């Protein structure tokens, strides 16, 4: 497909288990973002990848959360020892990110359908 | 710190009414970008518009229009002659002009358009 895809669409897990969420960005998009959407906190930024640069991890809520992006394309978000408060929809987005700071260098982020995580 | 406020939690209108969704932002950056996204019941966030801080021109796209005013730090969104298909949660978002350009979202406004 032409859009951002995420898998699984739904994940139910038990407290304490580890989970992996996958994101396939739009082909050719160099920037990849993870966000989390929950009732209490709204939409929150988690982590950002751009090319070979060091990722911006400033939004990760704890060290139980980690993410990697292999080959500049697919990304995996891992949550270790899940807690009930981790229950949320995890959204992935990608964009074309050109170098420079001019307005024309920035492009909108396109979002995937999300993975709904439920921790029992 | 960046912040986006959407004071209207829920709005309900009757079809064909005009409706304006408010968005107020805070940032210390001189270069920044503003966005509106739509999240229909299906759940997927749909990009509607991007505005950069250098361009205060208002924009119209069909029944949608946006009013960007730097003097009041607002970026309001108006739907003219609303339709049932416009029912969704609408998010306003802000991104700084440097670094990761991550989006800071408002809490969203749930719009219900009744037939």
């Amino acid at each position: 497909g032409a859009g951002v895809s995420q898998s699984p669409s739904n994940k139910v897990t038990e407290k304490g288990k580890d989970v992996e969420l996958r994101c396939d960005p739009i082909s050719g998009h160099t920037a990849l973002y993870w966000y989390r959407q929950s009732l209490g906190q709204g939409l929150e930024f988690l982590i950002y990848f751009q090319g070979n640069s060091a990722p911006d991890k400033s939004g990760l809520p704890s060290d139980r959360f980690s993410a990697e992006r292999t080959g500049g394309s697919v990304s995996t978000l891992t949550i270790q020892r899940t807690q009930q408060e981790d229950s949320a929809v995890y959204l992935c987005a990608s964009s074309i990110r050109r170098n420079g700071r001019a307005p024309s260098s920035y492009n909108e982020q396109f979002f995937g359908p999300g993975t709904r995580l439920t921790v029992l | 710190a960046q912040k986006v406020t959407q004071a209207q939690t829920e709005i309900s209108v009757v079809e064909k009414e005009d409706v304006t969704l408010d968005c107020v932002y805070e940032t210390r950056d001189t270069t920044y970008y503003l966005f509106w996204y739509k999240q229909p019941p299906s759940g997927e966030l749909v990009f509607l518009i991007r505005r950069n801080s250098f361009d205060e021109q208002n924009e119209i796209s069909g029944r949608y229009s946006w009013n960007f005013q730097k003097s009041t730090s607002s970026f309001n969104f108006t739907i003219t002659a609303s339709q049932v298909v416009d029912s969704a949660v609408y998010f306003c978002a802000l991104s700084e002009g440097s670094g990761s350009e991550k989006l800071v979202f408002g809490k969203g406004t749930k719009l219900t358009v009744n037939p």
Side-chain angles (χ1 to χ4, degrees):
Chain A
V4 177
S5 61
Q6 293 185 245
S7 60
S9 55
N10 280 284
K11 177 71 176 179
V12 180
T13 191
E14 293 180 349
K15 179 182 173 181
K17 295 285 180 68
D18 298 351
V19 296
E20 285 190 353
L21 313 179
R22 178 188 167 105
C23 171
D24 284 87
I26 294 172
S27 177
H29 280 194
T30 56
L32 187 147
Y33 303 77
W34 283 97
Y35 294 86
R36 178 170 72 171
Q37 185 173 24
S38 58
L39 281 176
Q41 301 300 320
L43 275 154
E44 307 170 278
F45 165 79
L46 296 177
I47 188 169
Y48 158 77
F49 295 92
Q50 166 64 11
N52 295 321
S53 302
D56 176 356
K57 305 179 182 179
S58 61
L60 295 179
S62 78
D63 58 9
R64 296 186 296 103
F65 288 72
S66 63
E68 62 178 22
R69 188 178 185 192
T70 53
S73 181
V74 172
S75 177
T76 302
L77 176 69
T78 301
I79 308 174
Q80 295 179 311
R81 305 181 302 281
T82 52
Q83 303 295 312
Q84 288 183 333
E85 61 262 28
D86 299 333
S87 296
V89 176
Y90 289 82
L91 295 165
C92 177
S94 70
S95 71
I96 297 174
R97 175 74 192 277
R98 291 186 278 268
N99 293 326
R101 298 185 176 186
S104 60
S105 71
Y106 182 85
N107 286 273
E108 57 272 16
Q109 297 174 27
F110 293 91
F111 283 79
T115 293
R116 181 175 297 277
L117 175 66
T118 303
V119 182
L120 302 176
Chain B
Q2 298 178 317
K3 184 179 178 182
V4 176
T5 301
Q6 294 180 254
Q8 305 149 308
T9 306
E10 293 192 41
I11 299 176
S12 183
V13 299
V14 177
E15 211 170 12
K16 298 184 183 177
E17 282 186 36
D18 298 347
V19 58
T20 295
L21 309 182
D22 298 333
C23 173
V24 174
Y25 63 92
E26 296 177 27
T27 180
R28 294 179 181 175
D29 293 325
T30 54
T31 300
Y32 53 89
Y33 304 90
L34 296 163
F35 302 81
W36 277 94
Y37 281 85
K38 174 182 180 180
Q39 189 174 43
S42 60
E44 195 156 340
L45 278 166
V46 177
F47 166 78
L48 295 178
I49 190 170
R50 178 193 78 207
R51 245 328 178 233
N52 71 59
S53 53
F54 296 98
D55 184 0
E56 284 194 72
Q57 275 191 333
N58 292 326
E59 183 155 340
I60 298 175
S61 176
R63 297 184 296 107
Y64 295 170
S65 62
W66 291 269
N67 183 0
F68 175 32
Q69 292 194 339
K70 288 180 76 171
S71 61
T72 56
S73 297
S74 64
F75 186 44
N76 296 337
F77 172 30
T78 298
I79 302 174
T80 303
S82 59
Q83 300 177 359
V84 173
V85 293
D86 296 327
S87 297
V89 180
Y90 290 86
F91 292 94
C92 181
L94 168 71
S95 172
E96 60 188 11
S98 61
S100 68
E101 297 180 352
K102 62 192 177 190
L103 293 171
V104 174
F105 286 89
K107 295 293 187 185
T109 297
K110 182 178 181 181
L111 173 65
T112 302
V113 181
N114 298 299

